[in-house]
Amino acid sequence: DQQVKQNSPSLSVQEGRISILNCDYTNSMFDYFLWYKKYPAEGPTFLISISSIKDKNEDGRFTVFLNKSAKHLSLHIVPSQPGDSAVYFCAASSGSNYQLIWGAGTKLIIKP
Amino acid sequence: EAGVAQSPRYKIIEKRQSVAFWCNPISGHATLYWYQQILGQGPKLLIQFQNNGVVDDSQLPKDRFSAERLKGVDSTLKIQPAKLEDSAVYLCASRSIRGNSPLHFGNGTRLTVT
């Protein structure tokens, strides 16, 4: 039972354009969502998060949108840069135990 | 600050052998996690410690996997005996208990069981 789903295994975007990565979840008890970025042979690094009391959080070129009624969140990267090429993981948690449930990841490729 | 340290980076063993992984978390981080990541999947939690106590080990295959965090700092994860399906990257992560501070991951140990 996949509670967090990233349906696109890969995404290719032209440098300078917007990258949109999507994530769907099924558990309505999730109240905190995060995006992590992973380069090959490295561990995931934290990118941005959002609490369920918000519908948008922005940090520089990165914006996360949360649509609770649709149980959907998305990560927007504007403008996309070559260094953004990586695998992006969506994760969710509920309550205070901070036990994250992870999606399978989306590989983002930024074309020059 | 220094990041999460893991060793070794790579390990190749034959099935039925044993293997151990080591993790040193970020200084002051009370919570430590071990994850298993199989290629093409997201990380799967194996065990979570807070200080030297186990918070959750419900997904740890206890017949072959064991983990400890003596003195609430470093941790080791052991597999004995290994199976082919244990081939994966084993990630250690730590976090501060303050609010919603994020997990910080090490670079992982890539295990290949032949």
Side-chain angles (χ1 to χ4, degrees), chain B residues 48-90:
Chain B
Q48 177 185 348
F49 293 95
Q50 181 141 328
N51 297 310
N52 59 351
V54 175
V55 173
D56 183 0
D57 63 357
S58 56
Q59 297 193 82
L60 187 73
K62 298 181 188 62
D63 57 334
R64 299 184 301 106
F65 286 64
S66 65
E68 60 183 9
R69 191 182 184 198
L70 300 176
K71 302 179 183 178
V73 182
D74 292 7
S75 178
T76 56
L77 176 70
K78 295 179 182 177
I79 308 175
Q80 182 178 16
K83 292 186 175 181
L84 296 175
E85 59 261 36
D86 298 331
S87 294
V89 175
Y90 291 84

Side-chain angles (χ1 to χ4, degrees), chain B residues 11-79:
Chain B
K11 191 74 178 178
I12 301 174
I13 61 173
E14 295 182 352
K15 60 183 180 185
R16 291 188 289 274
Q17 286 187 322
S18 62
V19 63
F21 314 126
W22 173 82
C23 173
N24 180 239
I26 291 173
S27 177
H29 280 192
T31 310
L32 185 147
Y33 306 76
W34 282 102
Y35 283 90
Q36 179 192 60
Q37 186 173 21
I38 292 171
L39 189 64
Q41 299 181 17
K44 170 190 159 187
L45 178 68
L46 292 175
I47 189 166
Q48 177 185 348
F49 293 95
Q50 181 141 328
N51 297 310
N52 59 351
V54 175
V55 173
D56 183 0
D57 63 357
S58 56
Q59 297 193 82
L60 187 73
K62 298 181 188 62
D63 57 334
R64 299 184 301 106
F65 286 64
S66 65
E68 60 183 9
R69 191 182 184 198
L70 300 176
K71 302 179 183 178
V73 182
D74 292 7
S75 178
T76 56
L77 176 70
K78 295 179 182 177
I79 308 175

Side-chain angles (χ1 to χ4, degrees), chain B residues 90-111:
Chain B
Y90 291 84
L91 293 162
C92 179
S94 70
R95 68 180 287 263
S96 164
I97 58 173
R98 281 192 292 273
N100 279 324
S101 55
L103 268 67
H104 296 262
F105 284 86
N107 286 331
T109 297
R110 179 175 294 280
L111 174 67

